[in-house]
Amino acid sequence: MNSKYKYHLHEDGPAMAAAATTYFVETCATVLAEKDKCSVCLSGGSTPKRMFKLLASDTWKDKVDWSKLFIFWGDERSVPQDSPDSNSGEAMRLLFDQIPIPKENIFPIDGALTPMEAAKKYETALETFFGDHEPVFDLCFLGMGDDGHTASLFPYTDIIYEEEYWVKEVFVKKLDTTRISLTPEIINQAARIVFLIGGENKADVLEEVLTGDFNPEKLPSQLVIRSGAEITFFLDKGAAGNLELG
Ligand code: 6PG
């Protein structure tokens, strides 16, 4: 296996979430020991929700200097924040409404706008926060779908080759919806890239993404995982079922 991959293998989802929570807290502390702001990009979907709940718990919520954290998302659905399908909405409800983080430190993608407007608005927010250079998140969490997508980089979509924009709307035919997503180049700029992947239904695709032919149209996660960047994986036994991790 590639030496640039760090694997954390866990019995199940709860154990994986607990380890990811420890990693979140320790990594933010490491960043804030070096500088006074830590930018964190979150993934959507169901897998990170347990981590959000843990971070909001009495055990963990006082272990992070939330006033120095700046929160972004890798992608969003075309829904308003009060929708249960909203990535930022769920993170707000499970975590950020429960802890003392300044609301101005949170940069959701506005899924209530048209996808193109939402992409533009988010790109402007990134420019305002990161200045005139490409965003470099201190910590970027990603998930993977059982079709090999990550963020909203879905198979056989145009965004796979996007190099001009930082954020793009992407029509996902099989979901018959348009998502808004960071582009591969911006994701790969992150200082630390972390995948949280759980469930047996992801075992085959994870194996193929890691060891199969390079085919980013079919497996867009490879655009990140095969980019040469250091990648940290938090996996449960189900997702890692086909891997020999020694
Ligand atoms: C989204 C995500 C997406 C997600 C994967 C895995 O908006 O859905 O950002 O990329 O990480 O689809 O989703 P699960 O964690 O629900 O399996």
Side-chain angles (χ1 to χ4, degrees):
M1 284 287 181
N2 184 324
S3 59
K4 287 202 170 187
Y5 299 160
K6 286 195 196 102
Y7 295 100
H8 302 267
L9 179 57
H10 299 281
E11 190 62 33
D12 54 23
M16 182 175 84
T21 302
T22 305
Y23 177 86
F24 182 110
V25 171
E26 290 176 354
T27 305
C28 292
T30 303
V31 171
L32 292 174
E34 293 153 12
K35 54 185 183 173
D36 59 4
K37 289 181 177 178
C38 177
S39 57
V40 180
C41 184
L42 299 174
S43 67
S46 56
T47 307
K49 292 184 180 178
R50 274 201 187 101
M51 180 179 72
F52 298 156
K53 288 178 189 163
L54 285 171
L55 286 166
S57 70
D58 291 344
T59 310
W60 290 100
K61 67 183 179 190
D62 300 329
K63 294 197 171 55
V64 178
D65 185 348
W66 298 106
S67 70
K68 295 182 177 167
L69 258 60
F70 296 82
I71 309 296
F72 300 86
W73 278 266
D75 70 322
E76 189 55 277
R77 292 91 181 268
S78 295
V79 293
Q81 222 182 27
D82 59 6
S83 160
D85 292 333
S86 167
N87 288 338
S88 61
E90 286 294 283
M92 294 300 295
R93 288 181 281 276
L94 293 170
L95 174 55
F96 299 115
D97 289 344
Q98 321 294 332
I99 49 146
I101 187 169
K103 290 297 175 264
E104 60 272 21
N105 288 23
I106 302 175
F107 300 86
I109 301 171
D110 190 347
L113 299 174
T114 69
M116 193 183 280
E117 287 167 341
K120 268 205 179 61
K121 183 178 174 190
Y122 191 53
E123 187 153 312
T124 305
L126 291 170
E127 283 166 0
T128 309
F129 183 82
F130 288 100
D132 58 7
H133 60 79
E134 288 190 341
V136 177
F137 298 108
D138 294 301
L139 184 51
C140 180
F141 285 93
L142 293 166
M144 185 190 290
D146 57 12
D147 61 356
H149 82 264
T150 190
S152 280
L153 309 179
F154 279 85
Y156 309 107
T157 56
D158 297 346
I159 197 171
I160 290 169
Y161 297 107
E162 178 61 46
E163 289 179 352
E164 186 185 349
Y165 294 95
W166 299 351
V167 190
K168 207 78 177 64
E169 66 282 2
V170 48
F171 178 65
V172 185
K173 197 159 177 249
K174 69 173 185 180
L175 301 177
D176 191 26
T177 186
T178 303
R179 297 265 189 105
I180 306 104
S181 186
L182 291 176
T183 55
E185 206 171 308
I186 300 305
I187 292 173
N188 286 337
Q189 298 282 346
R192 298 167 190 81
I193 297 175
V194 186
F195 277 86
L196 301 188
I197 307 172
E200 266 177 47
N201 64 319
K202 306 220 176 130
D204 293 347
V205 74
L206 180 58
E207 181 190 19
E208 199 181 353
V209 164
L210 288 166
T211 65
D213 294 344
F214 183 63
N215 184 351
E217 276 203 324
K218 179 184 174 198
L219 301 166
S221 294
Q222 288 183 326
L223 290 167
V224 179
I225 290 173
R226 303 280 190 98
S227 67
E230 269 203 21
I231 310 270
T232 299
F233 293 91
F234 287 90
L235 308 174
D236 68 8
K237 275 192 170 166
N242 299 354
L243 305 179
E244 280 153 31
L245 298 180

